[in-house]
Every structure is written in structure tokens, then in C-alpha cells.
Amino acid sequence: MSIYDLPAVNASLNGLSAILLAAGFIFIHQKKVIAHRNCMISAFCVSVIFLICYLTYHSYLAVVLHKGPTRFLNPAWFRPIYLVILLTHTILALVIVPLILITLFRALRERFDKHKKIARWTLPLWMYVSVTGVIVYLLLYQIFPQK
């Protein structure tokens, strides 16, 4: 495995996070609280591993290779669509971090009334960030690989 494999690893981690979030959602609606908790803590751990891999990859590109991130240039007609997906993904990825932490801490402190109120916002935003992370990878590296 090389540093260039990290984008695929990151996409896989995002996909796994989305699966765990969906399973956690299903479990809580089935009143399977322990399974829900396990899925959500696992999604959090997977997201932390993703963040470490993401920062490692981009730090290596910048510091060691003196390169910026891969830019989406072609096809030109699809670039605006890609940029909208990337922009919303990036903004919500920043917004979601404190929401995840607040949601997690409220659950761990057994403040389930407050946990439920914020989780209604956290879950769909976190799911969006996870799924669009996979989409960004597919567009940038698989569907329209950039040179």
C-alpha cells in the first residue's frame, strides 16, 4: 500500500460510516438501544480514522511532494456540478464535527432528551457528508480521473 491508495481508503471509510449510520438509525427505531449505540460509536471511530488518513494524505502531498489537492478540470461541463458537491461536502464536514461531538457527549451522559433533539440534525448531515465523500472520490478518481 502506498500514499496514493489513501483516497480509496478514505472513500471506503466514508462508505462504512454511512452503513453504520444507517444501521444505527434502523436499530434505534427498533428500540435496539445497545446495537444503536455500538453502530454510532463505530461510525464515530471510523470517521476519526478517516480524518487521520485524510490529513495524512493531504499533508504528505503538500509537505513532501509540494503538490496541492487534485483539481477537477475535465470534463469542463461537469466541473460546476462537481464543485457544488465538493463545496457542500466540505462546508458540512466542518459543521458536522461539533454536532457529532455534542450528540455523542449527550448520549454518553444519558441526556437522551437533548441527544434526540440534536441527533435529528446530526444524522442526516453526517450521512450527507459520508455519502458525498464517496461520490467525490468516485467522480475525481474513477468516473472522471484527472491527469
Side-chain angles (χ1 to χ4, degrees):
M1 184 162 131
S2 78
I3 195 76
Y4 297 106
D5 294 321
L6 283 180
V9 170
N10 290 340
S12 299
L13 291 168
N14 270 324
L16 179 56
S17 178
I19 291 167
L20 289 165
L21 291 171
F25 178 78
I26 291 167
F27 285 137
I28 200 60
H29 282 279
Q30 295 174 343
K31 308 281 191 241
K32 296 179 180 177
V33 176
I34 301 299
H36 166 76
R37 181 196 68 200
N38 293 342
C39 283
M40 301 316 277
I41 290 173
S42 296
F44 176 77
C45 292
V46 167
S47 294
V48 169
I49 294 167
F50 159 81
L51 184 58
I52 292 166
C53 291
Y54 178 86
L55 293 173
T56 299
Y57 175 72
H58 287 283
S59 297
Y60 185 86
L61 286 183
V63 174
V64 176
L65 300 180
H66 305 292
K67 291 183 178 180
T70 304
R71 294 183 61 209
F72 191 100
L73 300 173
N74 292 306
W77 66 268
F78 196 80
R79 189 169 191 268
I81 298 165
Y82 170 81
L83 291 175
V84 167
I85 295 168
L86 180 63
L87 181 66
T88 58
H89 169 80
T90 304
I91 291 169
L92 290 175
L94 294 171
V95 168
I96 198 64
V97 171
L99 288 176
I100 291 169
L101 293 173
I102 293 167
T103 305
L104 178 63
F105 289 133
R106 286 181 177 176
L108 293 174
R109 290 188 180 122
E110 298 183 5
R111 296 297 315 266
F112 298 119
D113 54 331
K114 290 187 174 189
H115 167 78
K116 186 176 179 179
K117 285 181 183 177
I118 195 170
R120 291 176 189 259
W121 293 94
T122 305
L123 178 68
L125 294 175
W126 192 357
M127 181 66 81
Y128 180 85
V129 169
S130 295
V131 170
T132 56
V134 175
I135 292 169
V136 165
Y137 167 78
L138 291 172
L139 291 172
L140 193 58
Y141 295 96
Q142 300 300 319
I143 298 170
F144 302 118
Q146 304 298 301
K147 294 180 171 105

PDB file of all heavy atoms in Angstrom, residues 96-120:
ATOM      1  N   ILE A  96     -20.340  19.511  10.779  1.00  0.00           N
ATOM      2  CA  ILE A  96     -20.783  18.277  11.428  1.00  0.00           C
ATOM      3  C   ILE A  96     -19.920  17.880  12.612  1.00  0.00           C
ATOM      4  O   ILE A  96     -20.404  17.230  13.547  1.00  0.00           O
ATOM      5  CB  ILE A  96     -20.907  17.120  10.397  1.00  0.00           C
ATOM      6  CG1 ILE A  96     -21.758  15.988  10.955  1.00  0.00           C
ATOM      7  CG2 ILE A  96     -19.550  16.595   9.989  1.00  0.00           C
ATOM      8  CD1 ILE A  96     -23.180  16.352  11.217  1.00  0.00           C
ATOM      9  N   VAL A  97     -18.655  18.268  12.619  1.00  0.00           N
ATOM     10  CA  VAL A  97     -17.756  17.836  13.702  1.00  0.00           C
ATOM     11  C   VAL A  97     -18.286  18.237  15.086  1.00  0.00           C
ATOM     12  O   VAL A  97     -18.452  17.367  15.954  1.00  0.00           O
ATOM     13  CB  VAL A  97     -16.314  18.323  13.471  1.00  0.00           C
ATOM     14  CG1 VAL A  97     -15.444  18.054  14.688  1.00  0.00           C
ATOM     15  CG2 VAL A  97     -15.724  17.664  12.234  1.00  0.00           C
ATOM     16  N   PRO A  98     -18.581  19.515  15.334  1.00  0.00           N
ATOM     17  CA  PRO A  98     -19.116  19.832  16.663  1.00  0.00           C
ATOM     18  C   PRO A  98     -20.481  19.192  16.922  1.00  0.00           C
ATOM     19  O   PRO A  98     -20.772  18.792  18.060  1.00  0.00           O
ATOM     20  CB  PRO A  98     -19.202  21.361  16.688  1.00  0.00           C
ATOM     21  CG  PRO A  98     -19.020  21.810  15.289  1.00  0.00           C
ATOM     22  CD  PRO A  98     -18.357  20.715  14.533  1.00  0.00           C
ATOM     23  N   LEU A  99     -21.301  19.054  15.891  1.00  0.00           N
ATOM     24  CA  LEU A  99     -22.605  18.407  16.085  1.00  0.00           C
ATOM     25  C   LEU A  99     -22.440  16.949  16.512  1.00  0.00           C
ATOM     26  O   LEU A  99     -23.156  16.472  17.398  1.00  0.00           O
ATOM     27  CB  LEU A  99     -23.439  18.481  14.802  1.00  0.00           C
ATOM     28  CG  LEU A  99     -24.008  19.841  14.435  1.00  0.00           C
ATOM     29  CD1 LEU A  99     -24.712  19.780  13.091  1.00  0.00           C
ATOM     30  CD2 LEU A  99     -24.940  20.342  15.507  1.00  0.00           C
ATOM     31  N   ILE A 100     -21.497  16.243  15.878  1.00  0.00           N
ATOM     32  CA  ILE A 100     -21.240  14.845  16.246  1.00  0.00           C
ATOM     33  C   ILE A 100     -20.779  14.771  17.699  1.00  0.00           C
ATOM     34  O   ILE A 100     -21.265  13.944  18.476  1.00  0.00           O
ATOM     35  CB  ILE A 100     -20.189  14.211  15.313  1.00  0.00           C
ATOM     36  CG1 ILE A 100     -20.755  14.024  13.904  1.00  0.00           C
ATOM     37  CG2 ILE A 100     -19.708  12.873  15.879  1.00  0.00           C
ATOM     38  CD1 ILE A 100     -19.718  13.644  12.869  1.00  0.00           C
ATOM     39  N   LEU A 101     -19.844  15.638  18.060  1.00  0.00           N
ATOM     40  CA  LEU A 101     -19.314  15.618  19.431  1.00  0.00           C
ATOM     41  C   LEU A 101     -20.400  15.920  20.467  1.00  0.00           C
ATOM     42  O   LEU A 101     -20.501  15.235  21.486  1.00  0.00           O
ATOM     43  CB  LEU A 101     -18.144  16.590  19.559  1.00  0.00           C
ATOM     44  CG  LEU A 101     -16.898  16.212  18.762  1.00  0.00           C
ATOM     45  CD1 LEU A 101     -15.867  17.336  18.820  1.00  0.00           C
ATOM     46  CD2 LEU A 101     -16.314  14.893  19.241  1.00  0.00           C
ATOM     47  N   ILE A 102     -21.207  16.923  20.205  1.00  0.00           N
ATOM     48  CA  ILE A 102     -22.293  17.271  21.129  1.00  0.00           C
ATOM     49  C   ILE A 102     -23.287  16.119  21.242  1.00  0.00           C
ATOM     50  O   ILE A 102     -23.695  15.729  22.342  1.00  0.00           O
ATOM     51  CB  ILE A 102     -23.001  18.570  20.693  1.00  0.00           C
ATOM     52  CG1 ILE A 102     -22.059  19.764  20.836  1.00  0.00           C
ATOM     53  CG2 ILE A 102     -24.287  18.782  21.496  1.00  0.00           C
ATOM     54  CD1 ILE A 102     -22.552  21.026  20.135  1.00  0.00           C
ATOM     55  N   THR A 103     -23.654  15.553  20.103  1.00  0.00           N
ATOM     56  CA  THR A 103     -24.608  14.438  20.086  1.00  0.00           C
ATOM     57  C   THR A 103     -24.050  13.244  20.865  1.00  0.00           C
ATOM     58  O   THR A 103     -24.756  12.629  21.674  1.00  0.00           O
ATOM     59  CB  THR A 103     -24.932  14.036  18.631  1.00  0.00           C
ATOM     60  OG1 THR A 103     -25.388  15.190  17.923  1.00  0.00           O
ATOM     61  CG2 THR A 103     -26.001  12.955  18.583  1.00  0.00           C
ATOM     62  N   LEU A 104     -22.804  12.925  20.622  1.00  0.00           N
ATOM     63  CA  LEU A 104     -22.159  11.798  21.307  1.00  0.00           C
ATOM     64  C   LEU A 104     -22.076  12.037  22.818  1.00  0.00           C
ATOM     65  O   LEU A 104     -22.441  11.164  23.615  1.00  0.00           O
ATOM     66  CB  LEU A 104     -20.759  11.576  20.726  1.00  0.00           C
ATOM     67  CG  LEU A 104     -19.923  10.469  21.358  1.00  0.00           C
ATOM     68  CD1 LEU A 104     -20.587   9.116  21.153  1.00  0.00           C
ATOM     69  CD2 LEU A 104     -18.523  10.468  20.769  1.00  0.00           C
ATOM     70  N   PHE A 105     -21.624  13.216  23.218  1.00  0.00           N
ATOM     71  CA  PHE A 105     -21.483  13.503  24.643  1.00  0.00           C
ATOM     72  C   PHE A 105     -22.828  13.504  25.362  1.00  0.00           C
ATOM     73  O   PHE A 105     -22.926  13.062  26.506  1.00  0.00           O
ATOM     74  CB  PHE A 105     -20.731  14.814  24.869  1.00  0.00           C
ATOM     75  CG  PHE A 105     -19.274  14.712  24.531  1.00  0.00           C
ATOM     76  CD1 PHE A 105     -18.670  15.696  23.762  1.00  0.00           C
ATOM     77  CD2 PHE A 105     -18.502  13.643  24.952  1.00  0.00           C
ATOM     78  CE1 PHE A 105     -17.323  15.613  23.431  1.00  0.00           C
ATOM     79  CE2 PHE A 105     -17.160  13.548  24.633  1.00  0.00           C
ATOM     80  CZ  PHE A 105     -16.562  14.529  23.870  1.00  0.00           C
ATOM     81  N   ARG A 106     -23.863  13.983  24.699  1.00  0.00           N
ATOM     82  CA  ARG A 106     -25.188  13.961  25.324  1.00  0.00           C
ATOM     83  C   ARG A 106     -25.671  12.529  25.536  1.00  0.00           C
ATOM     84  O   ARG A 106     -26.280  12.217  26.564  1.00  0.00           O
ATOM     85  CB  ARG A 106     -26.197  14.746  24.489  1.00  0.00           C
ATOM     86  CG  ARG A 106     -25.994  16.236  24.613  1.00  0.00           C
ATOM     87  CD  ARG A 106     -27.013  17.007  23.801  1.00  0.00           C
ATOM     88  NE  ARG A 106     -26.820  18.441  24.001  1.00  0.00           N
ATOM     89  CZ  ARG A 106     -27.504  19.362  23.357  1.00  0.00           C
ATOM     90  NH1 ARG A 106     -28.447  19.012  22.476  1.00  0.00           N
ATOM     91  NH2 ARG A 106     -27.275  20.642  23.582  1.00  0.00           N
ATOM     92  N   ALA A 107     -25.378  11.660  24.590  1.00  0.00           N
ATOM     93  CA  ALA A 107     -25.761  10.249  24.745  1.00  0.00           C
ATOM     94  C   ALA A 107     -24.947   9.595  25.853  1.00  0.00           C
ATOM     95  O   ALA A 107     -25.495   8.864  26.690  1.00  0.00           O
ATOM     96  CB  ALA A 107     -25.569   9.504  23.429  1.00  0.00           C
ATOM     97  N   LEU A 108     -23.647   9.868  25.868  1.00  0.00           N
ATOM     98  CA  LEU A 108     -22.784   9.261  26.893  1.00  0.00           C
ATOM     99  C   LEU A 108     -23.148   9.738  28.294  1.00  0.00           C
ATOM    100  O   LEU A 108     -22.971   9.011  29.269  1.00  0.00           O
ATOM    101  CB  LEU A 108     -21.317   9.560  26.593  1.00  0.00           C
ATOM    102  CG  LEU A 108     -20.760   8.893  25.329  1.00  0.00           C
ATOM    103  CD1 LEU A 108     -19.340   9.366  25.051  1.00  0.00           C
ATOM    104  CD2 LEU A 108     -20.822   7.371  25.438  1.00  0.00           C
ATOM    105  N   ARG A 109     -23.678  10.946  28.405  1.00  0.00           N
ATOM    106  CA  ARG A 109     -24.121  11.484  29.706  1.00  0.00           C
ATOM    107  C   ARG A 109     -25.578  11.113  30.006  1.00  0.00           C
ATOM    108  O   ARG A 109     -26.152  11.580  30.977  1.00  0.00           O
ATOM    109  CB  ARG A 109     -23.954  13.006  29.722  1.00  0.00           C
ATOM    110  CG  ARG A 109     -22.498  13.416  29.747  1.00  0.00           C
ATOM    111  CD  ARG A 109     -22.365  14.905  29.965  1.00  0.00           C
ATOM    112  NE  ARG A 109     -20.978  15.285  29.995  1.00  0.00           N
ATOM    113  CZ  ARG A 109     -20.406  16.166  29.185  1.00  0.00           C
ATOM    114  NH1 ARG A 109     -21.129  16.803  28.278  1.00  0.00           N
ATOM    115  NH2 ARG A 109     -19.137  16.430  29.291  1.00  0.00           N
ATOM    116  N   GLU A 110     -26.138  10.305  29.109  1.00  0.00           N
ATOM    117  CA  GLU A 110     -27.519   9.826  29.243  1.00  0.00           C
ATOM    118  C   GLU A 110     -28.536  10.961  29.280  1.00  0.00           C
ATOM    119  O   GLU A 110     -29.560  10.871  29.940  1.00  0.00           O
ATOM    120  CB  GLU A 110     -27.645   8.894  30.454  1.00  0.00           C
ATOM    121  CG  GLU A 110     -26.788   7.657  30.308  1.00  0.00           C
ATOM    122  CD  GLU A 110     -26.934   6.679  31.463  1.00  0.00           C
ATOM    123  OE1 GLU A 110     -27.785   6.907  32.358  1.00  0.00           O
ATOM    124  OE2 GLU A 110     -26.194   5.682  31.447  1.00  0.00           O
ATOM    125  N   ARG A 111     -28.246  12.017  28.540  1.00  0.00           N
ATOM    126  CA  ARG A 111     -29.185  13.123  28.362  1.00  0.00           C
ATOM    127  C   ARG A 111     -29.951  12.876  27.059  1.00  0.00           C
ATOM    128  O   ARG A 111     -29.806  13.591  26.077  1.00  0.00           O
ATOM    129  CB  ARG A 111     -28.439  14.463  28.308  1.00  0.00           C
ATOM    130  CG  ARG A 111     -27.704  14.832  29.576  1.00  0.00           C
ATOM    131  CD  ARG A 111     -28.643  15.026  30.785  1.00  0.00           C
ATOM    132  NE  ARG A 111     -29.826  15.801  30.518  1.00  0.00           N
ATOM    133  CZ  ARG A 111     -29.956  17.103  30.718  1.00  0.00           C
ATOM    134  NH1 ARG A 111     -28.967  17.792  31.220  1.00  0.00           N
ATOM    135  NH2 ARG A 111     -31.084  17.713  30.436  1.00  0.00           N
ATOM    136  N   PHE A 112     -30.710  11.802  27.051  1.00  0.00           N
ATOM    137  CA  PHE A 112     -31.322  11.319  25.823  1.00  0.00           C
ATOM    138  C   PHE A 112     -32.350  12.270  25.240  1.00  0.00           C
ATOM    139  O   PHE A 112     -32.551  12.294  24.022  1.00  0.00           O
ATOM    140  CB  PHE A 112     -31.910   9.921  26.033  1.00  0.00           C
ATOM    141  CG  PHE A 112     -30.863   8.913  26.402  1.00  0.00           C
ATOM    142  CD1 PHE A 112     -30.914   8.246  27.612  1.00  0.00           C
ATOM    143  CD2 PHE A 112     -29.801   8.646  25.547  1.00  0.00           C
ATOM    144  CE1 PHE A 112     -29.942   7.320  27.960  1.00  0.00           C
ATOM    145  CE2 PHE A 112     -28.823   7.730  25.884  1.00  0.00           C
ATOM    146  CZ  PHE A 112     -28.892   7.069  27.099  1.00  0.00           C
ATOM    147  N   ASP A 113     -32.995  13.093  26.073  1.00  0.00           N
ATOM    148  CA  ASP A 113     -33.931  14.086  25.550  1.00  0.00           C
ATOM    149  C   ASP A 113     -33.185  15.094  24.672  1.00  0.00           C
ATOM    150  O   ASP A 113     -33.592  15.393  23.546  1.00  0.00           O
ATOM    151  CB  ASP A 113     -34.678  14.774  26.680  1.00  0.00           C
ATOM    152  CG  ASP A 113     -33.736  15.388  27.723  1.00  0.00           C
ATOM    153  OD1 ASP A 113     -32.615  14.862  27.918  1.00  0.00           O
ATOM    154  OD2 ASP A 113     -34.127  16.391  28.346  1.00  0.00           O
ATOM    155  N   LYS A 114     -32.072  15.598  25.171  1.00  0.00           N
ATOM    156  CA  LYS A 114     -31.265  16.556  24.402  1.00  0.00           C
ATOM    157  C   LYS A 114     -30.522  15.859  23.254  1.00  0.00           C
ATOM    158  O   LYS A 114     -30.343  16.437  22.185  1.00  0.00           O
ATOM    159  CB  LYS A 114     -30.266  17.278  25.309  1.00  0.00           C
ATOM    160  CG  LYS A 114     -30.927  18.237  26.263  1.00  0.00           C
ATOM    161  CD  LYS A 114     -29.896  19.034  27.015  1.00  0.00           C
ATOM    162  CE  LYS A 114     -30.586  20.088  27.869  1.00  0.00           C
ATOM    163  NZ  LYS A 114     -29.634  21.011  28.453  1.00  0.00           N
ATOM    164  N   HIS A 115     -30.100  14.629  23.490  1.00  0.00           N
ATOM    165  CA  HIS A 115     -29.431  13.848  22.450  1.00  0.00           C
ATOM    166  C   HIS A 115     -30.342  13.678  21.231  1.00  0.00           C
ATOM    167  O   HIS A 115     -29.924  13.909  20.097  1.00  0.00           O
ATOM    168  CB  HIS A 115     -29.036  12.476  23.011  1.00  0.00           C
ATOM    169  CG  HIS A 115     -28.618  11.486  21.966  1.00  0.00           C
ATOM    170  ND1 HIS A 115     -27.378  11.519  21.379  1.00  0.00           N
ATOM    171  CD2 HIS A 115     -29.280  10.441  21.399  1.00  0.00           C
ATOM    172  CE1 HIS A 115     -27.298  10.534  20.501  1.00  0.00           C
ATOM    173  NE2 HIS A 115     -28.434   9.871  20.484  1.00  0.00           N
ATOM    174  N   LYS A 116     -31.578  13.323  21.487  1.00  0.00           N
ATOM    175  CA  LYS A 116     -32.533  13.088  20.402  1.00  0.00           C
ATOM    176  C   LYS A 116     -32.793  14.361  19.589  1.00  0.00           C
ATOM    177  O   LYS A 116     -32.880  14.312  18.365  1.00  0.00           O
ATOM    178  CB  LYS A 116     -33.843  12.545  20.972  1.00  0.00           C
ATOM    179  CG  LYS A 116     -34.841  12.127  19.935  1.00  0.00           C
ATOM    180  CD  LYS A 116     -36.068  11.504  20.588  1.00  0.00           C
ATOM    181  CE  LYS A 116     -37.082  11.096  19.554  1.00  0.00           C
ATOM    182  NZ  LYS A 116     -38.264  10.468  20.145  1.00  0.00           N
ATOM    183  N   LYS A 117     -32.868  15.508  20.281  1.00  0.00           N
ATOM    184  CA  LYS A 117     -33.134  16.773  19.585  1.00  0.00           C
ATOM    185  C   LYS A 117     -32.030  17.132  18.600  1.00  0.00           C
ATOM    186  O   LYS A 117     -32.302  17.568  17.480  1.00  0.00           O
ATOM    187  CB  LYS A 117     -33.315  17.909  20.598  1.00  0.00           C
ATOM    188  CG  LYS A 117     -34.638  17.871  21.304  1.00  0.00           C
ATOM    189  CD  LYS A 117     -34.781  19.018  22.274  1.00  0.00           C
ATOM    190  CE  LYS A 117     -36.090  18.919  23.022  1.00  0.00           C
ATOM    191  NZ  LYS A 117     -36.231  19.973  24.024  1.00  0.00           N
ATOM    192  N   ILE A 118     -30.785  16.961  19.002  1.00  0.00           N
ATOM    193  CA  ILE A 118     -29.690  17.323  18.103  1.00  0.00           C
ATOM    194  C   ILE A 118     -29.393  16.213  17.098  1.00  0.00           C
ATOM    195  O   ILE A 118     -28.954  16.474  15.977  1.00  0.00           O
ATOM    196  CB  ILE A 118     -28.426  17.739  18.886  1.00  0.00           C
ATOM    197  CG1 ILE A 118     -27.452  18.450  17.949  1.00  0.00           C
ATOM    198  CG2 ILE A 118     -27.783  16.558  19.576  1.00  0.00           C
ATOM    199  CD1 ILE A 118     -26.297  19.117  18.653  1.00  0.00           C
ATOM    200  N   ALA A 119     -29.658  14.968  17.493  1.00  0.00           N
ATOM    201  CA  ALA A 119     -29.407  13.839  16.588  1.00  0.00           C
ATOM    202  C   ALA A 119     -30.268  13.925  15.331  1.00  0.00           C
ATOM    203  O   ALA A 119     -29.860  13.457  14.261  1.00  0.00           O
ATOM    204  CB  ALA A 119     -29.649  12.515  17.313  1.00  0.00           C
ATOM    205  N   ARG A 120     -31.439  14.555  15.449  1.00  0.00           N
ATOM    206  CA  ARG A 120     -32.309  14.734  14.271  1.00  0.00           C
ATOM    207  C   ARG A 120     -31.638  15.564  13.189  1.00  0.00           C
ATOM    208  O   ARG A 120     -31.964  15.454  12.016  1.00  0.00           O
ATOM    209  CB  ARG A 120     -33.625  15.392  14.679  1.00  0.00           C
ATOM    210  CG  ARG A 120     -34.503  14.525  15.512  1.00  0.00           C
ATOM    211  CD  ARG A 120     -35.745  15.295  15.968  1.00  0.00           C
ATOM    212  NE  ARG A 120     -36.472  14.535  16.940  1.00  0.00           N
ATOM    213  CZ  ARG A 120     -37.562  13.835  16.662  1.00  0.00           C
ATOM    214  NH1 ARG A 120     -38.037  13.805  15.439  1.00  0.00           N
ATOM    215  NH2 ARG A 120     -38.176  13.169  17.617  1.00  0.00           N
TER     216      ARG A 120
END
